[in-house]
Amino acid sequence: MNALLNVSNLDTRLRNHAAIVDGISFNIVAGETFALLGESGCGKSMTALSLMRLLPEGVVNAGGIVQLDGDSLQHLSEREMSAVRGGKMAMIFQEPGLSLNPVMRVGDQIAEVLQLHHGVSGVAAQQRCIELLEQVGIPDAAQRVREYPFQFSGGMKQRVMIAMALEGNPKLLIADEPTTALDVTIQAQVLQLLRDTQAQSGMAILLITHDLGVVAEMAHHVGVMYAGEIVEQASRKQLFAQPLHPYTQKLFAALPDVTRRNQSLTAIPGSVPPLGSIAQGCRFAARCDQAWALCSDKTPAWTEVKGGRGVRCHLYSDGGKLSNSKNYSTNAAVDGESGVATNAEAENLAQPTSAFVLKVDNLKVHFPIRKGILQRVVGQVKAVDDVSLAIPQGSTLALVGESGCGKTTLGKALLQLVQPTAGSVQLNGCELIGLTGSELRNQRAAMQMIFQDPYASLNPKMRVAEILEEGMTALSIGRNQAERQARLDTLLDQVGLARNTKWRYPHEFSGGQRQRIAIARALAVSPQLLICDEPTSALDVSVQAQILNLLKSLQQELKLSYLFEVFFSNTASTR
């Protein structure tokens, strides 16, 4: 069967010749889904931007072939390529908050696509916009179509992006983390919408994700990407039955499991190497517990193995440890150093004390609805209505609900970032509602928040070191700058980022890496209470394990209290 999309030896580099996407090849057949799986910083999103010819400044296409429906995309003019984007191929971007125009109403942005590719305008376009928003699960679509992006939650903005991408009826849809910001119920709706559209139109999908649950549900074929290379390709059935590459095995091993409650999760040590830092040898060798001398001396070639699948690993090449036996079931990486606590260690985990760090009684946050020239109040939006909760020192409370239920508003109200309408919020026995600005400032070190959208909460004009040090300086933490810089290095180690990355700006990081920076910033001032608004929603499973292990160890060591605002995930049920 002929492929709709053919990618051969795609090579994307910085102007200093450091490879971001290093000679990857894959095909996608019409009506099928190819999933590109891997950690943040592996080059998945840059692969998508290379296909769309939307590379950022300083990044160039250095070679390779990209053919869509038989046409070579590299040789098209920019005018011709503009017709292809949104028509033959469309993309759902990872950051919906950055992709939507903040000064245009949502309906106008969707209507723009209708006008450009279908010539539909006026009342017909307005009605079609409402239908699209209803299809992706946005309630009261007739009203929301006239609102601006800032009036939507993160999950709702993602749904708007999906509606815009599907409107053009593309032959190829590139979905970059399309369900990252969505709760499990809306995720199911969106994935079903993609499957239905695919079945009706024969659309091919390139699915970029770190969520193994989504891969298990959607993919026909899977490519596992690491440090700019595809290290394993297989059908979904083959991959989930028997992952071959040690990296793939470790991704599966990092999945959370309810049977291991109060035990450490299996995390992959270290992080993805910086671009261009490994000239020869296997790029995963430093993190692999099956590596031997050959792995550092020689770059592994692509090896075809049984079942039509391929892997880039010396274990399966001629002369490799597994090449003669043809026994491709290598469980050592899965069952290696798991970091799982013993039963005795689990019993010794710190238990929460009876003292309440946070106590909330009958909290209400109502927003007025104003209409008319005089902006009279005609109603109330009850974002938070009569909520009471208490968190003892050293314990975790999970607040579970769908997108738009008011979880984020509640978290901001607890920190007094949103003014409560009524109720009581006490931190260590101190009533926060009614405090002056200076009085609240004295409480800031004791409570911090990890926001859902790491890009919107990070100052784009500040380097990472300045972002992390800002809170410590404002709250007089650390005797001098040298001491604060040493603490920054420790924090970066803890969240899995290289120390030299502190001199970069937020736009130089992937979405998952920016989330790690946001977590490090919250931890920098040694708070007693952390309000975590979807703290791992943008992270792949291996980094999720690192962050959750870190938060758990800090809780045991420092008696931290956590309020987790989360939605359910089906990731743990993939195997």
Side-chain angles (χ1 to χ4, degrees), residues 4-5 23 61 79 84 156 170 209 213 231 233 242 275 277 302 317 327 340 399 417 432-433 436 440 463 488 547:
L4 176 70
L5 178 70
N61 188 339
R79 179 180 292 273
V84 171
M156 288 183 177
T209 184
V231 297
Q233 273 198 58
Q242 190 179 62
L275 299 174
S277 62
W302 185 257
S317 61
N327 175 18
V340 177
L399 198 63
L417 299 177
L432 300 183
I433 296 180
T436 64
L440 269 176
R463 299 178 188 271
L488 297 188
I547 295 302

Side-chain angles (χ1 to χ4, degrees), residues 46-105:
M46 197 59 69
T47 299
L49 294 176
S50 299
L51 300 180
M52 295 286 289
R53 282 179 48 184
L54 293 174
L55 293 172
E57 185 68 25
V59 180
V60 296
N61 188 339
I65 298 173
V66 179
Q67 291 183 326
L68 178 64
D69 204 14
D71 298 327
S72 177
L73 299 185
Q74 294 100 317
H75 301 111
L76 297 181
S77 67
E78 183 56 33
R79 179 180 292 273
E80 292 170 328
M81 193 65 200
S82 295
V84 171
R85 300 188 197 106
K88 281 189 176 182
M89 63 191 301
M91 183 169 176
I92 302 169
F93 292 91
Q94 183 177 7
E95 297 281 0
L98 300 179
S99 305
L100 296 173
N101 190 326
V103 297
M104 285 181 66
R105 299 179 191 274

Side-chain angles (χ1 to χ4, degrees), residues 274-329:
L275 299 174
S277 62
I278 299 178
Q280 66 178 15
C282 175
R283 298 178 186 183
F284 187 63
R287 307 174 71 188
C288 181
D289 51 15
Q290 299 188 75
W292 74 100
L294 181 65
C295 298
S296 299
D297 297 336
K298 182 180 178 181
T299 301
W302 185 257
T303 303
E304 297 288 339
V305 296
K306 62 179 181 180
R309 59 194 303 188
V311 62
R312 189 182 300 277
C313 180
H314 287 308
L315 288 170
Y316 307 94
S317 61
D318 291 338
K321 293 181 179 180
L322 300 177
S323 59
N324 295 325
S325 66
K326 299 300 179 185
N327 175 18
Y328 299 117
S329 179

Side-chain angles (χ1 to χ4, degrees), residues 7-38:
V7 180
S8 179
N9 297 315
L10 181 64
D11 194 354
T12 303
R13 297 176 179 266
L14 297 174
R15 295 196 187 278
N16 64 2
H17 304 297
I20 304 175
V21 178
D22 196 1
I24 70 171
S25 301
F26 61 89
N27 299 318
I28 310 180
V29 177
E32 292 193 351
T33 298
F34 182 87
L36 206 54
L37 175 69

Side-chain angles (χ1 to χ4, degrees), residues 384-425:
V384 178
D385 195 24
D386 203 21
V387 171
S388 298
L389 56 88
I391 306 179
Q393 182 182 6
S395 72
T396 301
L397 175 67
L399 198 63
V400 181
E402 296 180 89
S403 177
C405 282
K407 303 188 302 293
T408 299
T409 302
L410 174 62
K412 291 181 178 180
L414 298 180
L415 293 173
Q416 306 302 295
L417 299 177
V418 171
Q419 185 64 42
T421 304
S424 171
V425 178

